[in-house]
Amino acid sequence: MLSRTADNLFWMCRYIERAENTARMLDVNLQMSLMPQDAHARDSLWRAVLRISELQHDYDARYPAVTPLDVLHYLVREPTNQSSIYSCLRAARENARAVRGSLTTEVWETYNTTWLELQKHLQTHLPERNPGEFFEWVKFRAHLVRGVTIGTMLDDEALHFLRLGMHLERADNTARLLDVKFHEEQDDLAARSSEFYRWASLLSSVSGLEIYRKVYRDVITPDRVAELLILRPDMPRSLLASVQALTEDLARVTNQRSAETERRAGLLYAELRYGRIEDILHSSLHRYLERFLERINDLGNRISQDFLVPLAA
């Protein structure tokens, strides 16, 4: 497969995954903001969304204060923010258009329709009128894209590069969510009374609340949340599940340059597969997740070098 084609497929899926992740975070934040809390807690809640996406500095350069309306505008419809839902869905559609011949008609039409419907929703101000409905629409379209892709695409290199993009983005997002939320918990001692709702919101943001209840059948605790989202292979958005899928797809698209990338992915997978949550928490969860994000970023760069169009220096 041509590097340009692989690059478009890879980023096409990363962008749709990123749009969904942003919608999930904003949806949960809106629900949490309805709880009784002081101005400082509300401000921290919205700043957390910006920190997860590493957009705090850029946001502060554009807006005088952190308000729910401004954060929503910045993360939903701001065209110059490359991580906004608007920018992600636009980029996903443009990448899909560039590799139209490598996609089934159903996959292309799903991406194209998503983009057209987004413009209608923005014109009618749906994100402002009914943000919950808008975020559900974003999540539904992402689910639809994945379902149509798996249901209609040939199981070949094109599908594997799509999956590489999806799981790399998913692993990155889950690690960032965990890191920021655990930091919040340690820093905000006044929020102990709402601890259950804070951890339930984190689980909801990765569709993990019902799974948690099935697995643990008990009260929500930080240690178990961390274990579920890091080490459970049967949790779809866990770090282990994402890295396992990443490793498997790397093996399917292997070439003469990718041996070191596969080795590093395999090493990360082995550490997750045989890791214990007690050891991770004892050695500092923040440092563990920080190191994980560095390694995921390294894998993304190496995949670009081995298979895709190299990033400009």
Side-chain angles (χ1 to χ4, degrees), residues 14 17-26 48-49 51-54 83 165-181 202 204-207 229 237-239 242 289 292-293 296-297:
R14 282 203 75 165
E17 183 76 18
R18 189 173 299 176
E20 181 190 0
N21 291 334
T22 301
R24 286 175 175 276
M25 288 189 294
L26 289 172
V49 178
R51 289 202 305 275
I52 289 170
S53 304
E54 295 187 349
S83 293
M166 178 181 74
H167 288 111
L168 198 68
E169 186 69 29
R170 184 172 292 182
D172 181 271
N173 180 75
T174 299
R176 291 180 187 278
L177 272 171
L178 264 175
D179 194 25
V180 169
K181 290 300 182 181
L202 171 59
S204 296
S205 69
V206 292
S207 295
L229 297 185
R237 291 180 176 271
S238 73
L239 303 188
S242 298
L289 293 172
F292 177 86
L293 286 168
I296 280 293
N297 185 58

Side-chain angles (χ1 to χ4, degrees), residues 177-239:
L177 272 171
L178 264 175
D179 194 25
V180 169
K181 290 300 182 181
F182 266 83
H183 254 38
E184 281 183 332
E185 185 66 19
Q186 293 171 356
D187 296 340
D188 193 357
L189 299 177
R192 297 299 183 185
S193 60
S194 62
E195 182 178 5
F196 169 82
Y197 300 101
R198 293 157 70 89
W199 293 114
S201 73
L202 171 59
L203 291 169
S204 296
S205 69
V206 292
S207 295
L209 186 56
E210 294 179 8
I211 293 176
Y212 183 98
R213 289 170 176 160
K214 288 181 180 179
V215 172
Y216 297 104
R217 301 178 183 276
D218 203 349
V219 66
I220 298 176
T221 65
D223 291 8
R224 287 175 174 173
V225 171
E227 181 181 56
L228 180 72
L229 297 185
I230 295 174
L231 300 178
R232 292 286 305 197
D234 47 0
M235 167 62 189
R237 291 180 176 271
S238 73
L239 303 188

Side-chain angles (χ1 to χ4, degrees), residues 235-301:
M235 167 62 189
R237 291 180 176 271
S238 73
L239 303 188
L240 175 54
S242 298
V243 173
Q244 179 179 0
L246 185 69
T247 304
E248 292 171 353
D249 283 303
L250 271 174
R252 294 187 177 107
V253 298
T254 183
N255 64 21
Q256 295 178 345
R257 303 172 57 185
S258 62
E260 178 61 17
T261 303
E262 293 175 59
R263 188 191 71 81
R264 295 189 187 193
L267 182 60
L268 181 57
Y269 168 58
E271 291 178 11
L272 286 164
R273 181 180 179 186
Y274 298 107
R276 297 191 306 176
I277 196 62
E278 297 88 355
D279 298 333
I280 293 173
L281 294 175
H282 178 72
S283 63
S284 171
L285 180 64
H286 173 63
R287 284 198 296 270
Y288 179 87
L289 293 172
E290 205 172 42
R291 175 62 177 149
F292 177 86
L293 286 168
E294 290 174 359
R295 295 170 75 177
I296 280 293
N297 185 58
D298 174 63
L299 285 175
N301 291 335

Side-chain angles (χ1 to χ4, degrees), residues 82-184:
Q82 297 304 308
S83 293
S84 71
I85 292 175
Y86 173 87
S87 295
C88 287
L89 294 183
R90 178 182 60 189
R93 191 260 186 185
E94 286 303 304
N95 278 281
R97 184 180 60 82
V99 290
R100 173 68 185 83
S102 298
L103 306 175
T104 62
T105 300
E106 290 92 337
V107 171
W108 159 247
E109 289 180 347
T110 305
Y111 274 93
N112 193 46
T113 301
T114 299
W115 169 243
L116 295 175
E117 288 185 6
L118 172 69
Q119 295 179 79
K120 292 180 181 178
H121 290 326
L122 295 181
Q123 289 169 3
T124 59
H125 300 282
L126 179 62
E128 292 78 19
R129 289 188 294 105
N130 193 337
E133 180 182 337
F134 175 73
F135 296 139
E136 284 301 317
W137 173 83
V138 175
K139 289 187 282 185
F140 172 77
R141 296 305 299 186
H143 293 322
L144 184 61
V145 164
R146 283 192 293 271
V148 171
T149 300
I150 294 172
T152 66
M153 290 279 289
L154 187 67
D155 189 4
D156 62 0
E157 282 192 333
L159 182 61
H160 300 320
F161 279 112
L162 288 169
R163 284 168 47 88
L164 280 173
M166 178 181 74
H167 288 111
L168 198 68
E169 186 69 29
R170 184 172 292 182
D172 181 271
N173 180 75
T174 299
R176 291 180 187 278
L177 272 171
L178 264 175
D179 194 25
V180 169
K181 290 300 182 181
F182 266 83
H183 254 38
E184 281 183 332

